[in-house]
mmCIF file of all heavy atoms in Angstrom:
data_model
loop_
_atom_site.group_PDB
_atom_site.id
_atom_site.type_symbol
_atom_site.label_atom_id
_atom_site.label_comp_id
_atom_site.label_asym_id
_atom_site.label_seq_id
_atom_site.Cartn_x
_atom_site.Cartn_y
_atom_site.Cartn_z
ATOM 1 N N VAL A 21 114.125 129.328 99.959
ATOM 2 C CA VAL A 21 115.486 128.974 100.335
ATOM 3 C C VAL A 21 115.583 127.486 100.637
ATOM 4 O O VAL A 21 116.658 126.907 100.649
ATOM 5 C CB VAL A 21 115.953 129.817 101.535
ATOM 6 C CG1 VAL A 21 117.422 129.620 101.806
ATOM 7 C CG2 VAL A 21 115.653 131.292 101.285
ATOM 8 N N GLY A 22 114.447 126.816 100.869
ATOM 9 C CA GLY A 22 114.456 125.384 101.102
ATOM 10 C C GLY A 22 115.017 124.602 99.933
ATOM 11 O O GLY A 22 115.482 123.475 100.105
ATOM 12 N N LEU A 23 115.013 125.189 98.743
ATOM 13 C CA LEU A 23 115.587 124.514 97.590
ATOM 14 C C LEU A 23 117.093 124.327 97.725
ATOM 15 O O LEU A 23 117.692 123.553 96.984
ATOM 16 C CB LEU A 23 115.276 125.302 96.308
ATOM 17 C CG LEU A 23 113.833 125.202 95.813
ATOM 18 C CD1 LEU A 23 113.587 126.182 94.675
ATOM 19 C CD2 LEU A 23 113.526 123.791 95.346
ATOM 20 N N PHE A 24 117.707 125.044 98.638
ATOM 21 C CA PHE A 24 119.121 124.831 98.913
ATOM 22 C C PHE A 24 119.335 123.685 99.914
ATOM 23 O O PHE A 24 120.456 123.428 100.340
ATOM 24 C CB PHE A 24 119.753 126.109 99.479
ATOM 25 C CG PHE A 24 120.113 127.125 98.443
ATOM 26 C CD1 PHE A 24 119.821 128.467 98.640
ATOM 27 C CD2 PHE A 24 120.739 126.760 97.265
ATOM 28 C CE1 PHE A 24 120.159 129.423 97.691
ATOM 29 C CE2 PHE A 24 121.086 127.699 96.306
ATOM 30 C CZ PHE A 24 120.795 129.041 96.521
ATOM 31 N N GLY A 25 118.269 123.005 100.287
ATOM 32 C CA GLY A 25 118.372 121.919 101.263
ATOM 33 C C GLY A 25 119.338 120.839 100.802
ATOM 34 O O GLY A 25 119.448 120.535 99.615
ATOM 35 N N GLN A 26 120.032 120.231 101.769
ATOM 36 C CA GLN A 26 121.029 119.207 101.466
ATOM 37 C C GLN A 26 120.482 117.809 101.735
ATOM 38 O O GLN A 26 119.781 117.583 102.724
ATOM 39 C CB GLN A 26 122.273 119.444 102.307
ATOM 40 C CG GLN A 26 122.887 120.814 102.117
ATOM 41 C CD GLN A 26 123.315 121.042 100.677
ATOM 42 O OE1 GLN A 26 124.226 120.387 100.182
ATOM 43 N NE2 GLN A 26 122.670 121.974 99.996
ATOM 44 N N GLU A 27 120.844 116.858 100.862
ATOM 45 C CA GLU A 27 120.320 115.504 100.955
ATOM 46 C C GLU A 27 120.661 114.843 102.280
ATOM 47 O O GLU A 27 119.867 114.093 102.841
ATOM 48 C CB GLU A 27 120.872 114.667 99.799
ATOM 49 C CG GLU A 27 120.295 113.257 99.695
ATOM 50 C CD GLU A 27 120.974 112.261 100.626
ATOM 51 O OE1 GLU A 27 122.129 112.508 101.022
ATOM 52 O OE2 GLU A 27 120.334 111.262 100.989
ATOM 53 N N TYR A 28 121.833 115.087 102.774
ATOM 54 C CA TYR A 28 122.309 114.421 103.975
ATOM 55 C C TYR A 28 121.890 115.154 105.247
ATOM 56 O O TYR A 28 122.231 114.733 106.354
ATOM 57 C CB TYR A 28 123.842 114.354 103.948
ATOM 58 C CG TYR A 28 124.459 115.683 103.592
ATOM 59 C CD1 TYR A 28 124.645 116.670 104.544
ATOM 60 C CD2 TYR A 28 124.781 115.974 102.268
ATOM 61 C CE1 TYR A 28 125.147 117.901 104.200
ATOM 62 C CE2 TYR A 28 125.300 117.207 101.912
ATOM 63 C CZ TYR A 28 125.486 118.171 102.882
ATOM 64 O OH TYR A 28 125.967 119.401 102.543
ATOM 65 N N GLY A 29 121.178 116.277 105.115
ATOM 66 C CA GLY A 29 120.863 117.093 106.277
ATOM 67 C C GLY A 29 119.637 116.621 107.024
ATOM 68 O O GLY A 29 118.634 116.237 106.434
ATOM 69 N N VAL A 30 119.694 116.644 108.336
ATOM 70 C CA VAL A 30 118.549 116.331 109.177
ATOM 71 C C VAL A 30 118.681 117.145 110.460
ATOM 72 O O VAL A 30 119.792 117.441 110.916
ATOM 73 C CB VAL A 30 118.482 114.819 109.504
ATOM 74 C CG1 VAL A 30 119.670 114.392 110.363
ATOM 75 C CG2 VAL A 30 117.176 114.452 110.198
ATOM 76 N N ASP A 31 117.553 117.536 111.006
ATOM 77 C CA ASP A 31 117.556 118.293 112.258
ATOM 78 C C ASP A 31 116.780 117.502 113.292
ATOM 79 O O ASP A 31 115.557 117.399 113.226
ATOM 80 C CB ASP A 31 116.934 119.669 112.057
ATOM 81 C CG ASP A 31 116.929 120.471 113.360
ATOM 82 O OD1 ASP A 31 117.810 120.208 114.200
ATOM 83 O OD2 ASP A 31 116.056 121.338 113.520
ATOM 84 N N THR A 32 117.474 116.919 114.234
ATOM 85 C CA THR A 32 116.827 116.183 115.323
ATOM 86 C C THR A 32 116.932 116.948 116.632
ATOM 87 O O THR A 32 116.589 116.406 117.687
ATOM 88 C CB THR A 32 117.482 114.797 115.501
ATOM 89 O OG1 THR A 32 118.830 114.970 115.958
ATOM 90 C CG2 THR A 32 117.481 114.014 114.187
ATOM 91 N N GLY A 33 117.422 118.196 116.559
ATOM 92 C CA GLY A 33 117.630 118.949 117.786
ATOM 93 C C GLY A 33 118.735 118.360 118.636
ATOM 94 O O GLY A 33 118.691 118.436 119.865
ATOM 95 N N ASN A 34 119.723 117.748 117.966
ATOM 96 C CA ASN A 34 120.861 117.102 118.643
ATOM 97 C C ASN A 34 120.436 115.911 119.493
ATOM 98 O O ASN A 34 121.167 115.501 120.409
ATOM 99 C CB ASN A 34 121.647 118.100 119.490
ATOM 100 C CG ASN A 34 122.297 119.192 118.658
ATOM 101 O OD1 ASN A 34 122.913 118.911 117.621
ATOM 102 N ND2 ASN A 34 122.144 120.440 119.081
ATOM 103 N N VAL A 35 119.262 115.376 119.204
ATOM 104 C CA VAL A 35 118.776 114.184 119.900
ATOM 105 C C VAL A 35 118.944 112.980 118.978
ATOM 106 O O VAL A 35 118.686 113.064 117.779
ATOM 107 C CB VAL A 35 117.295 114.343 120.294
ATOM 108 C CG1 VAL A 35 116.762 113.055 120.903
ATOM 109 C CG2 VAL A 35 117.129 115.505 121.263
ATOM 110 N N VAL A 36 119.380 111.868 119.533
ATOM 111 C CA VAL A 36 119.548 110.652 118.740
ATOM 112 C C VAL A 36 118.183 109.990 118.531
ATOM 113 O O VAL A 36 117.439 109.764 119.493
ATOM 114 C CB VAL A 36 120.516 109.671 119.429
ATOM 115 C CG1 VAL A 36 120.624 108.379 118.623
ATOM 116 C CG2 VAL A 36 121.890 110.302 119.582
ATOM 117 N N VAL A 37 117.869 109.683 117.277
ATOM 118 C CA VAL A 37 116.594 109.046 116.943
ATOM 119 C C VAL A 37 116.863 107.795 116.106
ATOM 120 O O VAL A 37 117.948 107.622 115.554
ATOM 121 C CB VAL A 37 115.668 110.008 116.159
ATOM 122 C CG1 VAL A 37 115.356 111.237 116.979
ATOM 123 C CG2 VAL A 37 116.308 110.392 114.822
ATOM 124 N N ILE A 38 115.879 106.940 116.031
ATOM 125 C CA ILE A 38 115.951 105.768 115.152
ATOM 126 C C ILE A 38 115.288 106.138 113.841
ATOM 127 O O ILE A 38 114.082 106.390 113.795
ATOM 128 C CB ILE A 38 115.256 104.554 115.788
ATOM 129 C CG1 ILE A 38 115.988 104.132 117.064
ATOM 130 C CG2 ILE A 38 115.208 103.389 114.805
ATOM 131 C CD1 ILE A 38 115.336 102.994 117.808
ATOM 132 N N ASP A 39 116.075 106.171 112.757
ATOM 133 C CA ASP A 39 115.469 106.535 111.477
ATOM 134 C C ASP A 39 115.484 105.374 110.481
ATOM 135 O O ASP A 39 115.124 105.566 109.317
ATOM 136 C CB ASP A 39 116.142 107.775 110.880
ATOM 137 C CG ASP A 39 117.404 107.463 110.112
ATOM 138 O OD1 ASP A 39 118.105 106.495 110.477
ATOM 139 O OD2 ASP A 39 117.697 108.190 109.151
ATOM 140 N N ARG A 40 115.894 104.174 110.935
ATOM 141 C CA ARG A 40 115.720 102.958 110.144
ATOM 142 C C ARG A 40 115.564 101.780 111.101
ATOM 143 O O ARG A 40 116.319 101.625 112.056
ATOM 144 C CB ARG A 40 116.924 102.669 109.242
ATOM 145 C CG ARG A 40 117.124 103.613 108.098
ATOM 146 C CD ARG A 40 116.034 103.499 107.020
ATOM 147 N NE ARG A 40 116.490 104.173 105.837
ATOM 148 C CZ ARG A 40 116.533 105.494 105.682
ATOM 149 N NH1 ARG A 40 116.118 106.264 106.684
ATOM 150 N NH2 ARG A 40 116.948 106.049 104.570
ATOM 151 N N LEU A 41 114.596 100.938 110.808
ATOM 152 C CA LEU A 41 114.421 99.691 111.531
ATOM 153 C C LEU A 41 113.597 98.766 110.638
ATOM 154 O O LEU A 41 112.369 98.823 110.626
ATOM 155 C CB LEU A 41 113.718 99.924 112.873
ATOM 156 C CG LEU A 41 113.574 98.687 113.770
ATOM 157 C CD1 LEU A 41 114.936 98.079 114.081
ATOM 158 C CD2 LEU A 41 112.838 99.031 115.065
ATOM 159 N N PHE A 42 114.300 97.953 109.858
ATOM 160 C CA PHE A 42 113.592 97.069 108.925
ATOM 161 C C PHE A 42 114.392 95.788 108.719
ATOM 162 O O PHE A 42 115.572 95.698 109.070
ATOM 163 C CB PHE A 42 113.343 97.769 107.582
ATOM 164 C CG PHE A 42 114.593 98.087 106.798
ATOM 165 C CD1 PHE A 42 115.161 97.150 105.935
ATOM 166 C CD2 PHE A 42 115.202 99.328 106.908
ATOM 167 C CE1 PHE A 42 116.304 97.438 105.216
ATOM 168 C CE2 PHE A 42 116.349 99.630 106.178
ATOM 169 C CZ PHE A 42 116.896 98.681 105.333
ATOM 170 N N TYR A 43 113.716 94.797 108.137
ATOM 171 C CA TYR A 43 114.317 93.477 107.905
ATOM 172 C C TYR A 43 114.048 93.071 106.469
ATOM 173 O O TYR A 43 112.925 93.220 105.962
ATOM 174 C CB TYR A 43 113.709 92.455 108.861
ATOM 175 C CG TYR A 43 114.276 91.065 108.751
ATOM 176 C CD1 TYR A 43 115.619 90.816 109.040
ATOM 177 C CD2 TYR A 43 113.482 89.987 108.365
ATOM 178 C CE1 TYR A 43 116.143 89.533 108.954
ATOM 179 C CE2 TYR A 43 113.989 88.702 108.276
ATOM 180 C CZ TYR A 43 115.324 88.477 108.577
ATOM 181 O OH TYR A 43 115.839 87.214 108.487
ATOM 182 N N SER A 44 115.082 92.569 105.785
ATOM 183 C CA SER A 44 114.919 92.076 104.416
ATOM 184 C C SER A 44 115.467 90.658 104.332
ATOM 185 O O SER A 44 116.475 90.340 104.987
ATOM 186 C CB SER A 44 115.651 92.987 103.422
ATOM 187 O OG SER A 44 117.053 92.916 103.590
ATOM 188 N N PHE A 45 114.825 89.840 103.529
ATOM 189 C CA PHE A 45 115.269 88.458 103.383
ATOM 190 C C PHE A 45 114.841 87.933 102.010
ATOM 191 O O PHE A 45 113.806 88.335 101.467
ATOM 192 C CB PHE A 45 114.682 87.567 104.487
ATOM 193 C CG PHE A 45 113.183 87.534 104.532
ATOM 194 C CD1 PHE A 45 112.464 86.540 103.874
ATOM 195 C CD2 PHE A 45 112.472 88.507 105.222
ATOM 196 C CE1 PHE A 45 111.081 86.504 103.922
ATOM 197 C CE2 PHE A 45 111.088 88.483 105.272
ATOM 198 C CZ PHE A 45 110.395 87.478 104.617
ATOM 199 N N PRO A 46 115.642 87.035 101.435
ATOM 200 C CA PRO A 46 115.311 86.488 100.113
ATOM 201 C C PRO A 46 114.279 85.375 100.222
ATOM 202 O O PRO A 46 114.211 84.657 101.221
ATOM 203 C CB PRO A 46 116.656 85.959 99.616
ATOM 204 C CG PRO A 46 117.379 85.566 100.876
ATOM 205 C CD PRO A 46 116.946 86.570 101.921
ATOM 206 N N VAL A 47 113.493 85.245 99.174
ATOM 207 C CA VAL A 47 112.569 84.133 99.033
ATOM 208 C C VAL A 47 112.897 83.472 97.698
ATOM 209 O O VAL A 47 112.604 84.018 96.640
ATOM 210 C CB VAL A 47 111.099 84.603 99.061
ATOM 211 C CG1 VAL A 47 110.164 83.417 98.853
ATOM 212 C CG2 VAL A 47 110.791 85.308 100.372
ATOM 213 N N GLY A 48 113.541 82.330 97.761
ATOM 214 C CA GLY A 48 114.039 81.726 96.534
ATOM 215 C C GLY A 48 115.265 82.476 96.047
ATOM 216 O O GLY A 48 115.975 83.142 96.810
ATOM 217 N N SER A 49 115.515 82.410 94.758
ATOM 218 C CA SER A 49 116.722 83.023 94.199
ATOM 219 C C SER A 49 116.490 84.403 93.603
ATOM 220 O O SER A 49 117.452 85.122 93.337
ATOM 221 C CB SER A 49 117.296 82.107 93.106
ATOM 222 O OG SER A 49 116.347 81.922 92.057
ATOM 223 N N GLU A 50 115.210 84.801 93.408
ATOM 224 C CA GLU A 50 114.953 86.061 92.709
ATOM 225 C C GLU A 50 114.037 87.019 93.452
ATOM 226 O O GLU A 50 113.942 88.191 93.080
ATOM 227 C CB GLU A 50 114.375 85.773 91.316
ATOM 228 C CG GLU A 50 115.341 85.029 90.408
ATOM 229 C CD GLU A 50 114.766 84.780 89.017
ATOM 230 O OE1 GLU A 50 113.521 84.853 88.875
ATOM 231 O OE2 GLU A 50 115.545 84.522 88.081
ATOM 232 N N PHE A 51 113.366 86.584 94.505
ATOM 233 C CA PHE A 51 112.443 87.451 95.237
ATOM 234 C C PHE A 51 113.052 87.886 96.568
ATOM 235 O O PHE A 51 113.781 87.133 97.214
ATOM 236 C CB PHE A 51 111.114 86.737 95.499
ATOM 237 C CG PHE A 51 110.235 86.613 94.292
ATOM 238 C CD1 PHE A 51 110.341 85.511 93.453
ATOM 239 C CD2 PHE A 51 109.307 87.600 93.992
ATOM 240 C CE1 PHE A 51 109.526 85.386 92.334
ATOM 241 C CE2 PHE A 51 108.495 87.488 92.886
ATOM 242 C CZ PHE A 51 108.605 86.384 92.039
ATOM 243 N N THR A 52 112.740 89.110 96.968
ATOM 244 C CA THR A 52 113.179 89.643 98.256
ATOM 245 C C THR A 52 112.027 90.398 98.895
ATOM 246 O O THR A 52 111.321 91.166 98.230
ATOM 247 C CB THR A 52 114.379 90.599 98.089
ATOM 248 O OG1 THR A 52 115.467 89.895 97.496
ATOM 249 C CG2 THR A 52 114.810 91.157 99.434
ATOM 250 N N ILE A 53 111.830 90.181 100.191
ATOM 251 C CA ILE A 53 110.788 90.869 100.950
ATOM 252 C C ILE A 53 111.475 91.809 101.946
ATOM 253 O O ILE A 53 112.443 91.427 102.611
ATOM 254 C CB ILE A 53 109.885 89.876 101.688
ATOM 255 C CG1 ILE A 53 109.116 89.012 100.676
ATOM 256 C CG2 ILE A 53 108.912 90.605 102.610
ATOM 257 C CD1 ILE A 53 108.263 87.923 101.312
ATOM 258 N N VAL A 54 110.987 93.042 102.020
ATOM 259 C CA VAL A 54 111.541 94.057 102.917
ATOM 260 C C VAL A 54 110.397 94.676 103.710
ATOM 261 O O VAL A 54 109.354 94.996 103.145
ATOM 262 C CB VAL A 54 112.276 95.164 102.134
ATOM 263 C CG1 VAL A 54 112.951 96.136 103.101
ATOM 264 C CG2 VAL A 54 113.293 94.572 101.165
ATOM 265 N N GLY A 55 110.598 94.857 104.999
ATOM 266 C CA GLY A 55 109.547 95.489 105.784
ATOM 267 C C GLY A 55 110.009 95.837 107.180
ATOM 268 O O GLY A 55 111.001 95.300 107.672
ATOM 269 N N GLY A 56 109.288 96.759 107.813
ATOM 270 C CA GLY A 56 109.611 97.137 109.173
ATOM 271 C C GLY A 56 108.834 98.358 109.613
ATOM 272 O O GLY A 56 108.155 99.002 108.814
#
């Protein structure tokens, strides 16, 4: 039944969590570095 899982679904037990914390910046005109 897990195949019916939804892309936007998450279960945090109604607790607020941090699920993104990263920094991206360009280097020159064509390179970009992303990390966190």
